[in-house]
Amino acid sequence: VALYKSVPTRLLSRAWGRLNQVELPTWLRKPVYSLYIWTFGVNMKEAAVEDLHHYRNLSEFFRRKLKPQARPVCCLHSVISPSDGKILNFGQVKNCEVEQVKGVTYSLESFLGPRICPEELHFSQAAPGNSFQQQLVTKEGNELYHCVIYLAPGDYHCFHSPTDWRVSHRRHFPGSLMSVNPGVARWIKELFCHNERVVLTGDWKHGFFSLTAVGATNVGSIRIYFDQDLHTNSPCYSKGSYNDFSFISNNNKEGIPMRKGEHLGEFNLGSTIVLIFEAPKDFKFHLKAGQKIRFGEALGSL
């Protein structure tokens, strides 16, 4: 593990990013993309543009858009999958620990960082003695839930809003860019806390809601469409540091309203989305660990 952690994954990811931006000659595009499609099982019939010659470089191909009808958004359930991927874990958060894969946990507070001021998020003031988990739960009778979705290299790389909510705050943690493949996640404890990630925090009708985009090897680029100030995988950073940005201002006291299914952001290759949110005790997930899921399909509801 120590040897793997010493690999300069950030540098390699920046080099990969530059390579992805190189424009391919028209004659080379089809064979290069066809090899990728065959290797990772990409379904190009869902792509808005199926002609491989249209994509000037690998980056454009990775971030390809889908046909509008390819991912119908489920209207019957309150929370949908924000992306294509594989369900690694889900359930109630217990003892301030969250499972990244079965049997391997990480600290909720290390992952999200110190609690944001309640005034900014319109949250009720928690008692000082309460645990970090209890401080996030704003309504009596609610529980804290989590869901982890792994995006493989062949998956659709954009992610969307999983519900109707309001984004009040962004916290960016520069960090490592180790692989988040489930096989690696089993033997590196707190992997998600080591890796670069962007935590979007806000609230929905049941209280606290957060979506975190976790970076990985060759995925130094995390883009949030409404956040032009966000720049990921910079050459220099301080270990353990983070920077905050508030979407609450004098002119905009409501933050950024997001509708269920609305475009939210994108990765450059494949990575992980972690949802952490509060909901009433009768909230039920409609999932099985290890199942494949597509953007727009149901995650859970009351």
Side-chain angles (χ1 to χ4, degrees):
V1 171
L3 183 63
Y4 177 61
K5 285 182 178 179
S6 70
V7 174
T9 50
R10 291 179 66 85
L11 179 63
L12 292 172
S13 297
R14 278 196 298 277
W16 176 253
R18 292 211 175 101
L19 181 63
N20 286 352
Q21 298 291 338
V22 175
E23 186 165 338
L24 296 175
T26 306
W27 62 269
L28 190 57
R29 294 174 189 175
K30 189 169 183 178
V32 168
Y33 302 147
S34 294
L35 177 62
Y36 186 90
I37 289 166
W38 177 79
T39 304
F40 295 109
V42 178
N43 182 2
M44 282 304 291
K45 290 184 178 178
E46 296 178 331
V49 180
E50 295 184 45
D51 182 9
L52 298 180
H53 297 103
H54 168 81
Y55 303 100
R56 293 172 298 177
N57 53 44
L58 280 165
S59 182
E60 284 190 5
F61 179 71
F62 293 146
R63 295 180 287 109
R64 64 194 176 276
K65 297 294 187 285
L66 299 182
K67 292 171 182 170
Q69 67 274 23
R71 296 287 186 278
V73 174
C74 177
C75 299
L76 300 176
H77 298 272
S78 52
V79 184
I80 61 165
S81 176
S83 66
D84 288 10
K86 179 181 180 181
I87 301 295
L88 294 190
N89 226 301
F90 64 93
Q92 278 190 23
V93 177
K94 296 180 180 178
N95 303 319
C96 297
E97 294 276 324
V98 185
E99 282 193 315
Q100 60 189 26
V101 292
K102 191 168 180 62
V104 181
T105 63
Y106 56 92
S107 159
L108 182 64
E109 187 167 8
S110 296
F111 182 68
L112 294 178
R115 188 166 179 258
I116 301 155
C117 68
E119 291 79 13
E120 181 176 317
L121 295 180
H122 305 281
F123 288 171
S124 58
Q125 184 68 51
N130 284 354
S131 69
F132 183 79
Q133 179 178 334
Q134 290 169 328
Q135 290 176 28
L136 295 181
V137 177
T138 65
K139 298 180 181 179
E140 192 173 344
N142 280 3
E143 297 286 349
L144 205 61
Y145 297 86
H146 75 102
C147 182
V148 183
I149 305 168
Y150 167 68
L151 289 76
D155 286 327
Y156 168 56
H157 293 7
C158 296
F159 51 94
H160 300 246
S161 176
T163 192
D164 295 335
W165 66 306
R166 181 187 57 175
V167 184
S168 304
H169 189 272
R170 178 259 291 160
R171 176 169 284 161
H172 171 218
F173 290 84
S176 302
L177 287 171
M178 293 180 281
S179 171
V180 291
N181 181 285
V184 176
R186 284 189 187 93
W187 50 269
I188 299 185
K189 183 175 171 60
E190 298 212 327
L191 170 63
F192 294 166
C193 299
H194 291 301
N195 271 16
E196 180 150 14
R197 60 198 181 279
V198 177
V199 182
L200 298 179
T201 309
D203 58 290
W204 70 319
K205 61 184 178 181
H206 300 298
F208 174 81
F209 199 97
S210 72
L211 180 149
T212 302
V214 183
T217 309
N218 298 335
V219 197
S221 173
I222 301 171
R223 184 181 171 200
I224 306 297
Y225 295 138
F226 57 73
D227 188 356
Q228 301 304 313
D229 295 322
L230 175 65
H231 301 287
T232 55
N233 197 10
S234 301
C236 299
Y237 77 99
S238 300
K239 190 172 182 179
S241 66
Y242 61 86
N243 57 74
D244 288 337
F245 184 86
S246 174
F247 298 110
I248 302 288
S249 66
N250 291 331
N251 298 326
N252 177 22
K253 294 187 181 297
E254 295 302 313
I256 308 293
M258 295 298 300
R259 304 296 296 173
K260 184 166 68 172
E262 188 177 348
H263 275 86
L264 186 52
E266 62 189 35
F267 292 113
N268 217 20
L269 186 57
S271 195
T272 298
I273 295 282
V274 180
L275 301 179
I276 298 173
F277 58 94
E278 73 169 296
K281 289 181 179 178
D282 56 351
F283 182 87
K284 300 293 182 187
F285 284 102
H286 303 282
L287 301 171
K288 292 180 180 177
Q291 79 173 69
K292 290 287 288 180
I293 198 164
R294 306 204 303 177
F295 154 61
E297 293 179 347
L299 279 188
S301 63
L302 297 170

